[in-house]
């Protein structure tokens, strides 16, 4: 049975168990799912454990084989251009939907205050974390690591990618034995990482079952009623972005059949959904790009880690709708200028969000502040927190698929896509 079918079975069974535990009040089942959750956490840790050695070694092997530096610059330029374009497209789509549906105008003041009250302490903790985030200038400076080992230890992927790309490019300039020795070493590490991932993936269906089961068992279904229109607006936006915008780009730029593309990336999508983490999904996306989509390692190894760190189409779209929703609830008018501000700040907020669960709701604060909702941060976040995990799972799929479509486009444009 293919892996994605097994993961799908785990997912469906997990949802079913979670719903039963949640709605029938079967306390033992709920307790069992929550007690098993560490199995899911162990799985995410195992896969995350591979990320640092894998991205360092695969970028070094991939970039060193690109040949000349001009090619590296061209590929990087295309990837960054594509990432910016799709991020802005996602935000514009989110804004269009938010203006059309106006999800916030459907919530009365009593529900609003009840939601804000219920999640106030959690929201305060999130906004505290956001205020600890560095300013934009420092964020840019931080791309250059003072110490790559520290960057790796702190799981700071962008500086680590920067370091690996520079060293990969330099290794590409070496000749003879020293080059062969370094590349041989790092390609051995990428091969070993693939073996480890193969082992870990055997656990995926079970891990997905407990991860999803625990989330659903805990989910406040009573909240869904009041936040339903908002949640559905985000989900419809995500679906439109993935199955219309990205599908068009797959067809026009990567010149692939979108249906086939989505079929081949099914396991990646299920994985992103179950883990809510672009970082944790990265090893599987790298493997899928190479073995299922025919994207050469030299391109995938550079474009995908960069995308997992900076490109978050789903997060950007969600942030646009979330800010509009909060503004609508509090009756704050959002004119064209404010919405253009959202385009700029949600782009930055999505770039700044790490590829981990709930990162998007933290950097949402940047967007709220930019449009004068700084006084509504905690209550605004409290309003949407109840359904955030589900939306996080869905937006992570779009984040990861956005990266893969970019890698396919770049490979095609370089005349190197095997399919
Ligand atoms: N969980 C998302 C990701 O890893 C980020 C977010 O919270 O939007 O891609």
């Amino acid at each position: 049975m293919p892996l994605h079918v097994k993961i799908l079975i785990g997912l469906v069974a997990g949802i079913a168990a979670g719903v039963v535990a949640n709605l029938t009040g079967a306390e033992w089942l709920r307790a069992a799912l929550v007690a098993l959750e560490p199995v899911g956490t162990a799985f995410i840790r195992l896969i995350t454990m591979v990320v640092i050695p894998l991205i360092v070694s695969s970028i070094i092997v991939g970039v060193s084989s690109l040949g000349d530096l001009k090619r590296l610059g061209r590929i990087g330029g295309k990837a960054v251009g594509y990432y910016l374009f799709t991020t802005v497209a996602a935000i514009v789509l989110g804004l269009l939907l938010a203006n059309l549906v106006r999800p916030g105008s459907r919530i009365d003041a009593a529900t609003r205050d009840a939601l804000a009250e219920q999640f106030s302490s959690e929201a305060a903790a999130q906004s505290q974390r956001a205020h600890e985030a560095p300013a934009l200038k420092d964020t840019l400076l931080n791309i250059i690591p003072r110490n790559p080992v520290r960057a790796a230890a702190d799981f700071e992927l962008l500086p680590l990618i920067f370091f690996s790309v520079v060293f990969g490019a330099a290794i590409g300039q070496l000749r003879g034995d020293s080059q062969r020795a370094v590349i041989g070493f790092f390609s051995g590490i990428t091969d070993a990482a693939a073996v480890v991932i193969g082992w870990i993936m055997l656990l995926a269906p079970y891990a997905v079952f407990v991860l999803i089961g625990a989330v659903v068992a805990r989910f406040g279904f009573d909240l869904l009623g009041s936040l339903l229109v908002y949640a559905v607006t985000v989900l419809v936006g995500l679906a439109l972005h993935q199955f219309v915008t990205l599908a068009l780009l797959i067809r026009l730029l990567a010149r692939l059949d979108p249906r086939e593309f989505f079929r081949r990336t099914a396991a990646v999508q299920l994985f992103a959904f179950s883990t809510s983490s672009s970082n944790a999904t990265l090893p599987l996306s790298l493997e899928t790009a190479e073995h299922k989509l025919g994207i050469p390692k030299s391109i995938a190894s550079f474009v995908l880690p960069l995308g997992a760190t900076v490109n978050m189409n789903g997060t950007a779209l969600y942030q646009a709708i979330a800010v509009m929703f909060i503004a609508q609830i509090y009756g704050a008018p959002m004119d064209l200028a404010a919405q253009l501000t959202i385009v700029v700040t949600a782009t930055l907020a999505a770039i700044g969000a790490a590829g981990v669960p709930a990162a998007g709701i933290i950097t949402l604060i940047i967007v709220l502040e930019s449009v004068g909702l700084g006084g509504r941060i905690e209550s605004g976040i409290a309003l949407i927190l109840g359904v955030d995990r589900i939306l996080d799972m869905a937006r992570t799929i779009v984040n990861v698929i956005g990266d893969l479509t970019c890698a396919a486009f770049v490979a095609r444009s370089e005349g190197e896509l095997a399919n």
Side-chain angles (χ1 to χ4, degrees), residues 318-331:
Y318 143 83
Q319 289 182 330
I321 298 179
V323 169
M324 293 294 287
F325 176 68
I326 293 169
Q328 287 161 3
I329 287 184
Y330 286 111

Side-chain angles (χ1 to χ4, degrees), residues 47 192-203 287:
I47 202 93
V195 174
V196 176
I197 292 163
W199 290 337
I200 300 170
M201 289 311 285
L202 296 175
L203 298 174
E287 204 202 51

Side-chain angles (χ1 to χ4, degrees), residues 276-279 312 315 318 353-361 392 395-396 399:
S276 282
S277 169
S278 299
N279 287 355
M312 309 229 169
T315 302
Y318 143 83
V356 296
I361 200 164
D392 193 3
R395 66 192 186 239
T396 307
N399 290 347

Side-chain angles (χ1 to χ4, degrees), residues 264-295:
R264 291 188 192 191
T265 54
V268 174
Q269 298 185 56
L270 289 170
F271 198 88
F273 183 78
S274 320
T275 60
S276 282
S277 169
S278 299
N279 287 355
T281 313
L282 187 55
L284 190 61
S285 351
L286 279 165
E287 204 202 51
T288 305
E290 235 186 293
H291 297 118
K292 297 228 171 96
L293 298 173
I295 299 168

Side-chain angles (χ1 to χ4, degrees), residues 196-342:
V196 176
I197 292 163
W199 290 337
I200 300 170
M201 289 311 285
L202 296 175
L203 298 174
Y206 312 100
V208 164
F209 171 82
V210 290
L211 284 169
I212 297 288
V215 167
V216 176
R218 252 196 238 113
F219 187 69
F221 281 100
D222 47 333
L223 284 177
L224 205 54
S226 41
L227 292 173
L228 191 64
V229 181
Y230 159 69
V232 170
T233 310
V234 174
L235 294 175
V236 168
L238 292 172
L240 285 174
H241 185 73
Q242 173 153 324
F243 297 115
V244 179
T245 313
L246 294 180
L248 263 173
L249 297 177
I250 294 168
R251 166 81 71 207
L252 298 176
L253 296 181
R255 295 205 292 285
L256 290 172
D257 176 8
R259 244 177 308 170
E260 187 60 20
F261 184 95
F262 291 127
R263 206 181 57 74
R264 291 188 192 191
T265 54
V268 174
Q269 298 185 56
L270 289 170
F271 198 88
F273 183 78
S274 320
T275 60
S276 282
S277 169
S278 299
N279 287 355
T281 313
L282 187 55
L284 190 61
S285 351
L286 279 165
E287 204 202 51
T288 305
E290 235 186 293
H291 297 118
K292 297 228 171 96
L293 298 173
I295 299 168
K297 198 189 198 102
S298 56
I299 291 175
S301 69
F302 174 33
V303 172
L304 293 180
L306 185 67
T309 320
V310 302
N311 180 50
M312 309 229 169
N313 291 183
T315 302
L317 182 142
Y318 143 83
Q319 289 182 330
I321 298 179
V323 169
M324 293 294 287
F325 176 68
I326 293 169
Q328 287 161 3
I329 287 184
Y330 286 111
M334 285 285 128
D335 57 10
L336 191 61
Q339 298 199 29
L340 285 175
T341 308
I342 294 180

